[in-house]
mmCIF file with all atom_site columns, all heavy atoms in Angstrom:
data_model
loop_
_atom_site.group_PDB
_atom_site.id
_atom_site.type_symbol
_atom_site.label_atom_id
_atom_site.label_alt_id
_atom_site.label_comp_id
_atom_site.label_asym_id
_atom_site.label_entity_id
_atom_site.label_seq_id
_atom_site.pdbx_PDB_ins_code
_atom_site.Cartn_x
_atom_site.Cartn_y
_atom_site.Cartn_z
_atom_site.occupancy
_atom_site.B_iso_or_equiv
_atom_site.pdbx_formal_charge
_atom_site.auth_seq_id
_atom_site.auth_comp_id
_atom_site.auth_asym_id
_atom_site.auth_atom_id
_atom_site.pdbx_PDB_model_num
ATOM 1   N N   . LYS A 1 127 ? 11.538 -19.290 19.298 1.00 0.00 ? 150 LYS A N   1
ATOM 2   C CA  . LYS A 1 127 ? 12.409 -18.723 18.252 1.00 0.00 ? 150 LYS A CA  1
ATOM 3   C C   . LYS A 1 127 ? 12.759 -19.788 17.207 1.00 0.00 ? 150 LYS A C   1
ATOM 4   O O   . LYS A 1 127 ? 11.894 -20.480 16.736 1.00 0.00 ? 150 LYS A O   1
ATOM 5   C CB  . LYS A 1 127 ? 13.629 -18.078 18.893 1.00 0.00 ? 150 LYS A CB  1
ATOM 6   C CG  . LYS A 1 127 ? 13.176 -16.993 19.900 1.00 0.00 ? 150 LYS A CG  1
ATOM 7   C CD  . LYS A 1 127 ? 14.055 -15.817 19.951 1.00 0.00 ? 150 LYS A CD  1
ATOM 8   C CE  . LYS A 1 127 ? 13.397 -14.716 20.768 1.00 0.00 ? 150 LYS A CE  1
ATOM 9   N NZ  . LYS A 1 127 ? 14.187 -13.514 20.853 1.00 0.00 ? 150 LYS A NZ  1
ATOM 10  N N   . ARG A 1 128 ? 14.053 -19.983 16.886 1.00 0.00 ? 151 ARG A N   1
ATOM 11  C CA  . ARG A 1 128 ? 14.395 -20.884 15.786 1.00 0.00 ? 151 ARG A CA  1
ATOM 12  C C   . ARG A 1 128 ? 14.046 -22.351 16.091 1.00 0.00 ? 151 ARG A C   1
ATOM 13  O O   . ARG A 1 128 ? 13.977 -23.174 15.180 1.00 0.00 ? 151 ARG A O   1
ATOM 14  C CB  . ARG A 1 128 ? 15.873 -20.747 15.412 1.00 0.00 ? 151 ARG A CB  1
ATOM 15  C CG  . ARG A 1 128 ? 16.827 -21.240 16.450 1.00 0.00 ? 151 ARG A CG  1
ATOM 16  C CD  . ARG A 1 128 ? 18.248 -20.902 16.087 1.00 0.00 ? 151 ARG A CD  1
ATOM 17  N NE  . ARG A 1 128 ? 18.531 -19.479 16.242 1.00 0.00 ? 151 ARG A NE  1
ATOM 18  C CZ  . ARG A 1 128 ? 19.685 -18.911 15.936 1.00 0.00 ? 151 ARG A CZ  1
ATOM 19  N NH1 . ARG A 1 128 ? 20.652 -19.632 15.422 1.00 0.00 ? 151 ARG A NH1 1
ATOM 20  N NH2 . ARG A 1 128 ? 19.869 -17.614 16.123 1.00 0.00 ? 151 ARG A NH2 1
ATOM 21  N N   . ALA A 1 129 ? 13.811 -22.666 17.371 1.00 0.00 ? 152 ALA A N   1
ATOM 22  C CA  . ALA A 1 129 ? 13.439 -24.041 17.724 1.00 0.00 ? 152 ALA A CA  1
ATOM 23  C C   . ALA A 1 129 ? 11.954 -24.309 17.449 1.00 0.00 ? 152 ALA A C   1
ATOM 24  O O   . ALA A 1 129 ? 11.505 -25.455 17.493 1.00 0.00 ? 152 ALA A O   1
ATOM 25  C CB  . ALA A 1 129 ? 13.743 -24.301 19.199 1.00 0.00 ? 152 ALA A CB  1
ATOM 26  N N   . GLY A 1 130 ? 11.192 -23.278 17.159 1.00 0.00 ? 153 GLY A N   1
ATOM 27  C CA  . GLY A 1 130 ? 9.764  -23.442 16.893 1.00 0.00 ? 153 GLY A CA  1
ATOM 28  C C   . GLY A 1 130 ? 9.496  -23.931 15.477 1.00 0.00 ? 153 GLY A C   1
ATOM 29  O O   . GLY A 1 130 ? 10.372 -23.891 14.614 1.00 0.00 ? 153 GLY A O   1
ATOM 30  N N   . VAL A 1 131 ? 8.261  -24.367 15.251 1.00 0.00 ? 154 VAL A N   1
ATOM 31  C CA  . VAL A 1 131 ? 7.905  -24.957 13.964 1.00 0.00 ? 154 VAL A CA  1
ATOM 32  C C   . VAL A 1 131 ? 7.929  -23.918 12.830 1.00 0.00 ? 154 VAL A C   1
ATOM 33  O O   . VAL A 1 131 ? 8.136  -24.255 11.663 1.00 0.00 ? 154 VAL A O   1
ATOM 34  C CB  . VAL A 1 131 ? 6.514  -25.652 14.073 1.00 0.00 ? 154 VAL A CB  1
ATOM 35  C CG1 . VAL A 1 131 ? 5.391  -24.623 14.224 1.00 0.00 ? 154 VAL A CG1 1
ATOM 36  C CG2 . VAL A 1 131 ? 6.248  -26.529 12.852 1.00 0.00 ? 154 VAL A CG2 1
ATOM 37  N N   . THR A 1 132 ? 7.758  -22.624 13.165 1.00 0.00 ? 155 THR A N   1
ATOM 38  C CA  . THR A 1 132 ? 7.685  -21.615 12.104 1.00 0.00 ? 155 THR A CA  1
ATOM 39  C C   . THR A 1 132 ? 9.054  -21.273 11.513 1.00 0.00 ? 155 THR A C   1
ATOM 40  O O   . THR A 1 132 ? 9.125  -20.526 10.532 1.00 0.00 ? 155 THR A O   1
ATOM 41  C CB  . THR A 1 132 ? 7.023  -20.308 12.612 1.00 0.00 ? 155 THR A CB  1
ATOM 42  O OG1 . THR A 1 132 ? 7.775  -19.814 13.728 1.00 0.00 ? 155 THR A OG1 1
ATOM 43  C CG2 . THR A 1 132 ? 5.585  -20.530 13.022 1.00 0.00 ? 155 THR A CG2 1
ATOM 44  N N   . SER A 1 133 ? 10.138 -21.825 12.067 1.00 0.00 ? 156 SER A N   1
ATOM 45  C CA  . SER A 1 133 ? 11.462 -21.530 11.495 1.00 0.00 ? 156 SER A CA  1
ATOM 46  C C   . SER A 1 133 ? 11.528 -21.985 10.042 1.00 0.00 ? 156 SER A C   1
ATOM 47  O O   . SER A 1 133 ? 12.251 -21.414 9.225  1.00 0.00 ? 156 SER A O   1
ATOM 48  C CB  . SER A 1 133 ? 12.574 -22.203 12.309 1.00 0.00 ? 156 SER A CB  1
ATOM 49  O OG  . SER A 1 133 ? 12.489 -23.611 12.200 1.00 0.00 ? 156 SER A OG  1
ATOM 50  N N   . GLN A 1 134 ? 10.718 -23.007 9.693  1.00 0.00 ? 157 GLN A N   1
ATOM 51  C CA  . GLN A 1 134 ? 10.770 -23.495 8.313  1.00 0.00 ? 157 GLN A CA  1
ATOM 52  C C   . GLN A 1 134 ? 10.224 -22.462 7.320  1.00 0.00 ? 157 GLN A C   1
ATOM 53  O O   . GLN A 1 134 ? 10.606 -22.460 6.154  1.00 0.00 ? 157 GLN A O   1
ATOM 54  C CB  . GLN A 1 134 ? 10.030 -24.828 8.178  1.00 0.00 ? 157 GLN A CB  1
ATOM 55  C CG  . GLN A 1 134 ? 8.556  -24.778 8.505  1.00 0.00 ? 157 GLN A CG  1
ATOM 56  C CD  . GLN A 1 134 ? 7.976  -26.187 8.621  1.00 0.00 ? 157 GLN A CD  1
ATOM 57  O OE1 . GLN A 1 134 ? 8.643  -27.112 9.088  1.00 0.00 ? 157 GLN A OE1 1
ATOM 58  N NE2 . GLN A 1 134 ? 6.740  -26.364 8.184  1.00 0.00 ? 157 GLN A NE2 1
ATOM 59  N N   . VAL A 1 135 ? 9.355  -21.575 7.794  1.00 0.00 ? 158 VAL A N   1
ATOM 60  C CA  . VAL A 1 135 ? 8.853  -20.509 6.919  1.00 0.00 ? 158 VAL A CA  1
ATOM 61  C C   . VAL A 1 135 ? 9.996  -19.534 6.596  1.00 0.00 ? 158 VAL A C   1
ATOM 62  O O   . VAL A 1 135 ? 10.145 -19.088 5.455  1.00 0.00 ? 158 VAL A O   1
ATOM 63  C CB  . VAL A 1 135 ? 7.675  -19.754 7.597  1.00 0.00 ? 158 VAL A CB  1
ATOM 64  C CG1 . VAL A 1 135 ? 7.216  -18.573 6.746  1.00 0.00 ? 158 VAL A CG1 1
ATOM 65  C CG2 . VAL A 1 135 ? 6.513  -20.708 7.845  1.00 0.00 ? 158 VAL A CG2 1
ATOM 66  N N   . TYR A 1 136 ? 10.821 -19.246 7.598  1.00 0.00 ? 159 TYR A N   1
ATOM 67  C CA  . TYR A 1 136 ? 11.980 -18.371 7.375  1.00 0.00 ? 159 TYR A CA  1
ATOM 68  C C   . TYR A 1 136 ? 12.975 -19.046 6.430  1.00 0.00 ? 159 TYR A C   1
ATOM 69  O O   . TYR A 1 136 ? 13.598 -18.397 5.586  1.00 0.00 ? 159 TYR A O   1
ATOM 70  C CB  . TYR A 1 136 ? 12.645 -18.023 8.711  1.00 0.00 ? 159 TYR A CB  1
ATOM 71  C CG  . TYR A 1 136 ? 11.807 -17.084 9.556  1.00 0.00 ? 159 TYR A CG  1
ATOM 72  C CD1 . TYR A 1 136 ? 10.743 -17.554 10.316 1.00 0.00 ? 159 TYR A CD1 1
ATOM 73  C CD2 . TYR A 1 136 ? 12.056 -15.715 9.554  1.00 0.00 ? 159 TYR A CD2 1
ATOM 74  C CE1 . TYR A 1 136 ? 9.958  -16.704 11.063 1.00 0.00 ? 159 TYR A CE1 1
ATOM 75  C CE2 . TYR A 1 136 ? 11.278 -14.852 10.304 1.00 0.00 ? 159 TYR A CE2 1
ATOM 76  C CZ  . TYR A 1 136 ? 10.226 -15.353 11.064 1.00 0.00 ? 159 TYR A CZ  1
ATOM 77  O OH  . TYR A 1 136 ? 9.441  -14.497 11.796 1.00 0.00 ? 159 TYR A OH  1
ATOM 78  N N   . ILE A 1 137 ? 13.109 -20.364 6.584  1.00 0.00 ? 160 ILE A N   1
ATOM 79  C CA  . ILE A 1 137 ? 14.019 -21.116 5.708  1.00 0.00 ? 160 ILE A CA  1
ATOM 80  C C   . ILE A 1 137 ? 13.520 -21.037 4.262  1.00 0.00 ? 160 ILE A C   1
ATOM 81  O O   . ILE A 1 137 ? 14.289 -20.766 3.330  1.00 0.00 ? 160 ILE A O   1
ATOM 82  C CB  . ILE A 1 137 ? 14.120 -22.592 6.185  1.00 0.00 ? 160 ILE A CB  1
ATOM 83  C CG1 . ILE A 1 137 ? 14.922 -22.650 7.495  1.00 0.00 ? 160 ILE A CG1 1
ATOM 84  C CG2 . ILE A 1 137 ? 14.753 -23.475 5.115  1.00 0.00 ? 160 ILE A CG2 1
ATOM 85  C CD1 . ILE A 1 137 ? 14.946 -24.017 8.167  1.00 0.00 ? 160 ILE A CD1 1
ATOM 86  N N   . ALA A 1 138 ? 12.204 -21.248 4.060  1.00 0.00 ? 161 ALA A N   1
ATOM 87  C CA  . ALA A 1 138 ? 11.633 -21.205 2.702  1.00 0.00 ? 161 ALA A CA  1
ATOM 88  C C   . ALA A 1 138 ? 11.769 -19.804 2.114  1.00 0.00 ? 161 ALA A C   1
ATOM 89  O O   . ALA A 1 138 ? 12.154 -19.628 0.942  1.00 0.00 ? 161 ALA A O   1
ATOM 90  C CB  . ALA A 1 138 ? 10.165 -21.630 2.747  1.00 0.00 ? 161 ALA A CB  1
ATOM 91  N N   . HIS A 1 139 ? 11.468 -18.794 2.928  1.00 0.00 ? 162 HIS A N   1
ATOM 92  C CA  . HIS A 1 139 ? 11.576 -17.404 2.458  1.00 0.00 ? 162 HIS A CA  1
ATOM 93  C C   . HIS A 1 139 ? 13.019 -17.077 2.070  1.00 0.00 ? 162 HIS A C   1
ATOM 94  O O   . HIS A 1 139 ? 13.282 -16.460 1.034  1.00 0.00 ? 162 HIS A O   1
ATOM 95  C CB  . HIS A 1 139 ? 11.087 -16.462 3.560  1.00 0.00 ? 162 HIS A CB  1
ATOM 96  C CG  . HIS A 1 139 ? 11.096 -15.014 3.179  1.00 0.00 ? 162 HIS A CG  1
ATOM 97  N ND1 . HIS A 1 139 ? 12.161 -14.184 3.465  1.00 0.00 ? 162 HIS A ND1 1
ATOM 98  C CD2 . HIS A 1 139 ? 10.198 -14.253 2.520  1.00 0.00 ? 162 HIS A CD2 1
ATOM 99  C CE1 . HIS A 1 139 ? 11.900 -12.970 3.006  1.00 0.00 ? 162 HIS A CE1 1
ATOM 100 N NE2 . HIS A 1 139 ? 10.710 -12.978 2.425  1.00 0.00 ? 162 HIS A NE2 1
ATOM 101 N N   . GLY A 1 140 ? 13.952 -17.515 2.912  1.00 0.00 ? 163 GLY A N   1
ATOM 102 C CA  . GLY A 1 140 ? 15.366 -17.257 2.637  1.00 0.00 ? 163 GLY A CA  1
ATOM 103 C C   . GLY A 1 140 ? 15.834 -17.979 1.387  1.00 0.00 ? 163 GLY A C   1
ATOM 104 O O   . GLY A 1 140 ? 16.573 -17.428 0.572  1.00 0.00 ? 163 GLY A O   1
ATOM 105 N N   . ARG A 1 141 ? 15.368 -19.212 1.240  1.00 0.00 ? 164 ARG A N   1
ATOM 106 C CA  . ARG A 1 141 ? 15.772 -19.992 0.063  1.00 0.00 ? 164 ARG A CA  1
ATOM 107 C C   . ARG A 1 141 ? 15.287 -19.301 -1.224 1.00 0.00 ? 164 ARG A C   1
ATOM 108 O O   . ARG A 1 141 ? 15.992 -19.208 -2.211 1.00 0.00 ? 164 ARG A O   1
ATOM 109 C CB  . ARG A 1 141 ? 15.156 -21.404 0.199  1.00 0.00 ? 164 ARG A CB  1
ATOM 110 C CG  . ARG A 1 141 ? 15.681 -22.437 -0.715 1.00 0.00 ? 164 ARG A CG  1
ATOM 111 C CD  . ARG A 1 141 ? 17.145 -22.746 -0.487 1.00 0.00 ? 164 ARG A CD  1
ATOM 112 N NE  . ARG A 1 141 ? 17.780 -23.044 -1.757 1.00 0.00 ? 164 ARG A NE  1
ATOM 113 C CZ  . ARG A 1 141 ? 18.576 -22.201 -2.418 1.00 0.00 ? 164 ARG A CZ  1
ATOM 114 N NH1 . ARG A 1 141 ? 18.912 -21.037 -1.919 1.00 0.00 ? 164 ARG A NH1 1
ATOM 115 N NH2 . ARG A 1 141 ? 19.080 -22.524 -3.585 1.00 0.00 ? 164 ARG A NH2 1
ATOM 116 N N   . TYR A 1 142 ? 14.044 -18.825 -1.158 1.00 0.00 ? 165 TYR A N   1
ATOM 117 C CA  . TYR A 1 142 ? 13.431 -18.176 -2.343 1.00 0.00 ? 165 TYR A CA  1
ATOM 118 C C   . TYR A 1 142 ? 14.154 -16.879 -2.705 1.00 0.00 ? 165 TYR A C   1
ATOM 119 O O   . TYR A 1 142 ? 14.550 -16.658 -3.844 1.00 0.00 ? 165 TYR A O   1
ATOM 120 C CB  . TYR A 1 142 ? 11.950 -17.888 -2.054 1.00 0.00 ? 165 TYR A CB  1
ATOM 121 C CG  . TYR A 1 142 ? 11.221 -17.247 -3.213 1.00 0.00 ? 165 TYR A CG  1
ATOM 122 C CD1 . TYR A 1 142 ? 10.719 -18.035 -4.244 1.00 0.00 ? 165 TYR A CD1 1
ATOM 123 C CD2 . TYR A 1 142 ? 11.021 -15.868 -3.286 1.00 0.00 ? 165 TYR A CD2 1
ATOM 124 C CE1 . TYR A 1 142 ? 10.053 -17.461 -5.321 1.00 0.00 ? 165 TYR A CE1 1
ATOM 125 C CE2 . TYR A 1 142 ? 10.360 -15.285 -4.352 1.00 0.00 ? 165 TYR A CE2 1
ATOM 126 C CZ  . TYR A 1 142 ? 9.871  -16.098 -5.367 1.00 0.00 ? 165 TYR A CZ  1
ATOM 127 O OH  . TYR A 1 142 ? 9.221  -15.514 -6.423 1.00 0.00 ? 165 TYR A OH  1
ATOM 128 N N   . THR A 1 143 ? 14.325 -16.003 -1.702 1.00 0.00 ? 166 THR A N   1
ATOM 129 C CA  . THR A 1 143 ? 14.907 -14.695 -1.997 1.00 0.00 ? 166 THR A CA  1
ATOM 130 C C   . THR A 1 143 ? 16.400 -14.796 -2.327 1.00 0.00 ? 166 THR A C   1
ATOM 131 O O   . THR A 1 143 ? 16.943 -13.954 -3.040 1.00 0.00 ? 166 THR A O   1
ATOM 132 C CB  . THR A 1 143 ? 14.691 -13.716 -0.813 1.00 0.00 ? 166 THR A CB  1
ATOM 133 O OG1 . THR A 1 143 ? 15.133 -14.336 0.397  1.00 0.00 ? 166 THR A OG1 1
ATOM 134 C CG2 . THR A 1 143 ? 13.233 -13.341 -0.673 1.00 0.00 ? 166 THR A CG2 1
ATOM 135 N N   . THR A 1 144 ? 17.049 -15.855 -1.818 1.00 0.00 ? 167 THR A N   1
ATOM 136 C CA  . THR A 1 144 ? 18.453 -16.078 -2.166 1.00 0.00 ? 167 THR A CA  1
ATOM 137 C C   . THR A 1 144 ? 18.553 -16.587 -3.611 1.00 0.00 ? 167 THR A C   1
ATOM 138 O O   . THR A 1 144 ? 19.339 -16.089 -4.413 1.00 0.00 ? 167 THR A O   1
ATOM 139 C CB  . THR A 1 144 ? 19.094 -17.097 -1.201 1.00 0.00 ? 167 THR A CB  1
ATOM 140 O OG1 . THR A 1 144 ? 18.960 -16.607 0.137  1.00 0.00 ? 167 THR A OG1 1
ATOM 141 C CG2 . THR A 1 144 ? 20.569 -17.309 -1.509 1.00 0.00 ? 167 THR A CG2 1
ATOM 142 N N   . GLU A 1 145 ? 17.709 -17.560 -3.925 1.00 0.00 ? 168 GLU A N   1
ATOM 143 C CA  . GLU A 1 145 ? 17.712 -18.138 -5.274 1.00 0.00 ? 168 GLU A CA  1
ATOM 144 C C   . GLU A 1 145 ? 17.337 -17.082 -6.324 1.00 0.00 ? 168 GLU A C   1
ATOM 145 O O   . GLU A 1 145 ? 17.944 -17.013 -7.399 1.00 0.00 ? 168 GLU A O   1
ATOM 146 C CB  . GLU A 1 145 ? 16.703 -19.303 -5.320 1.00 0.00 ? 168 GLU A CB  1
ATOM 147 C CG  . GLU A 1 145 ? 16.549 -19.977 -6.660 1.00 0.00 ? 168 GLU A CG  1
ATOM 148 C CD  . GLU A 1 145 ? 17.703 -20.915 -6.989 1.00 0.00 ? 168 GLU A CD  1
ATOM 149 O OE1 . GLU A 1 145 ? 18.425 -21.299 -6.057 1.00 0.00 ? 168 GLU A OE1 1
ATOM 150 O OE2 . GLU A 1 145 ? 17.866 -21.232 -8.187 1.00 0.00 ? 168 GLU A OE2 1
ATOM 151 N N   . MET A 1 146 ? 16.335 -16.247 -6.000 1.00 0.00 ? 169 MET A N   1
ATOM 152 C CA  . MET A 1 146 ? 15.871 -15.243 -6.969 1.00 0.00 ? 169 MET A CA  1
ATOM 153 C C   . MET A 1 146 ? 16.731 -13.979 -6.932 1.00 0.00 ? 169 MET A C   1
ATOM 154 O O   . MET A 1 146 ? 16.507 -13.058 -7.695 1.00 0.00 ? 169 MET A O   1
ATOM 155 C CB  . MET A 1 146 ? 14.399 -14.856 -6.681 1.00 0.00 ? 169 MET A CB  1
ATOM 156 C CG  . MET A 1 146 ? 13.409 -16.012 -6.642 1.00 0.00 ? 169 MET A CG  1
ATOM 157 S SD  . MET A 1 146 ? 13.515 -17.110 -8.062 1.00 0.00 ? 169 MET A SD  1
ATOM 158 C CE  . MET A 1 146 ? 13.064 -16.021 -9.386 1.00 0.00 ? 169 MET A CE  1
ATOM 159 N N   . GLN A 1 147 ? 17.685 -13.921 -6.013 1.00 0.00 ? 170 GLN A N   1
ATOM 160 C CA  . GLN A 1 147 ? 18.551 -12.742 -5.831 1.00 0.00 ? 170 GLN A CA  1
ATOM 161 C C   . GLN A 1 147 ? 17.716 -11.464 -5.702 1.00 0.00 ? 170 GLN A C   1
ATOM 162 O O   . GLN A 1 147 ? 18.006 -10.445 -6.342 1.00 0.00 ? 170 GLN A O   1
ATOM 163 C CB  . GLN A 1 147 ? 19.534 -12.612 -6.998 1.00 0.00 ? 170 GLN A CB  1
ATOM 164 C CG  . GLN A 1 147 ? 20.491 -13.781 -7.094 1.00 0.00 ? 170 GLN A CG  1
ATOM 165 C CD  . GLN A 1 147 ? 21.605 -13.520 -8.095 1.00 0.00 ? 170 GLN A CD  1
ATOM 166 O OE1 . GLN A 1 147 ? 21.397 -12.902 -9.123 1.00 0.00 ? 170 GLN A OE1 1
ATOM 167 N NE2 . GLN A 1 147 ? 22.786 -13.990 -7.776 1.00 0.00 ? 170 GLN A NE2 1
ATOM 168 N N   . THR A 1 148 ? 16.663 -11.528 -4.907 1.00 0.00 ? 171 THR A N   1
ATOM 169 C CA  . THR A 1 148 ? 15.790 -10.368 -4.722 1.00 0.00 ? 171 THR A CA  1
ATOM 170 C C   . THR A 1 148 ? 16.603 -9.216  -4.130 1.00 0.00 ? 171 THR A C   1
ATOM 171 O O   . THR A 1 148 ? 17.199 -9.360  -3.055 1.00 0.00 ? 171 THR A O   1
ATOM 172 C CB  . THR A 1 148 ? 14.620 -10.728 -3.776 1.00 0.00 ? 171 THR A CB  1
ATOM 173 O OG1 . THR A 1 148 ? 14.033 -11.945 -4.234 1.00 0.00 ? 171 THR A OG1 1
ATOM 174 C CG2 . THR A 1 148 ? 13.585 -9.615  -3.755 1.00 0.00 ? 171 THR A CG2 1
ATOM 175 N N   . PRO A 1 149 ? 16.636 -8.071  -4.810 1.00 0.00 ? 172 PRO A N   1
ATOM 176 C CA  . PRO A 1 149 ? 17.513 -6.990  -4.341 1.00 0.00 ? 172 PRO A CA  1
ATOM 177 C C   . PRO A 1 149 ? 17.160 -6.470  -2.943 1.00 0.00 ? 172 PRO A C   1
ATOM 178 O O   . PRO A 1 149 ? 18.030 -6.302  -2.104 1.00 0.00 ? 172 PRO A O   1
ATOM 179 C CB  . PRO A 1 149 ? 17.322 -5.889  -5.392 1.00 0.00 ? 172 PRO A CB  1
ATOM 180 C CG  . PRO A 1 149 ? 16.859 -6.607  -6.608 1.00 0.00 ? 172 PRO A CG  1
ATOM 181 C CD  . PRO A 1 149 ? 16.023 -7.756  -6.110 1.00 0.00 ? 172 PRO A CD  1
ATOM 182 N N   . LEU A 1 150 ? 15.842 -6.208  -2.727 1.00 0.00 ? 173 LEU A N   1
ATOM 183 C CA  . LEU A 1 150 ? 15.463 -5.522  -1.490 1.00 0.00 ? 173 LEU A CA  1
ATOM 184 C C   . LEU A 1 150 ? 14.357 -6.287  -0.769 1.00 0.00 ? 173 LEU A C   1
ATOM 185 O O   . LEU A 1 150 ? 13.349 -6.654  -1.375 1.00 0.00 ? 173 LEU A O   1
ATOM 186 C CB  . LEU A 1 150 ? 14.965 -4.115  -1.842 1.00 0.00 ? 173 LEU A CB  1
ATOM 187 C CG  . LEU A 1 150 ? 14.991 -3.062  -0.764 1.00 0.00 ? 173 LEU A CG  1
ATOM 188 C CD1 . LEU A 1 150 ? 16.394 -2.875  -0.192 1.00 0.00 ? 173 LEU A CD1 1
ATOM 189 C CD2 . LEU A 1 150 ? 14.462 -1.738  -1.321 1.00 0.00 ? 173 LEU A CD2 1
ATOM 190 N N   . LEU A 1 151 ? 14.555 -6.531  0.538  1.00 0.00 ? 174 LEU A N   1
ATOM 191 C CA  . LEU A 1 151 ? 13.544 -7.207  1.354  1.00 0.00 ? 174 LEU A CA  1
ATOM 192 C C   . LEU A 1 151 ? 13.073 -6.275  2.464  1.00 0.00 ? 174 LEU A C   1
ATOM 193 O O   . LEU A 1 151 ? 13.837 -5.432  2.941  1.00 0.00 ? 174 LEU A O   1
ATOM 194 C CB  . LEU A 1 151 ? 14.122 -8.464  2.026  1.00 0.00 ? 174 LEU A CB  1
ATOM 195 C CG  . LEU A 1 151 ? 15.013 -9.411  1.225  1.00 0.00 ? 174 LEU A CG  1
ATOM 196 C CD1 . LEU A 1 151 ? 15.492 -10.550 2.136  1.00 0.00 ? 174 LEU A CD1 1
ATOM 197 C CD2 . LEU A 1 151 ? 14.256 -9.958  0.034  1.00 0.00 ? 174 LEU A CD2 1
#
Side-chain angles (χ1 to χ4, degrees):
K150 303 216 170 181
R151 68 188 72 183
V154 70
T155 58
S156 66
Q157 62 192 35
V158 175
Y159 289 80
I160 288 173
H162 182 266
R164 193 64 215 104
Y165 181 83
T166 51
T167 302
E168 178 77 18
M169 305 310 297
Q170 297 190 324
T171 311
L173 202 57
L174 317 178

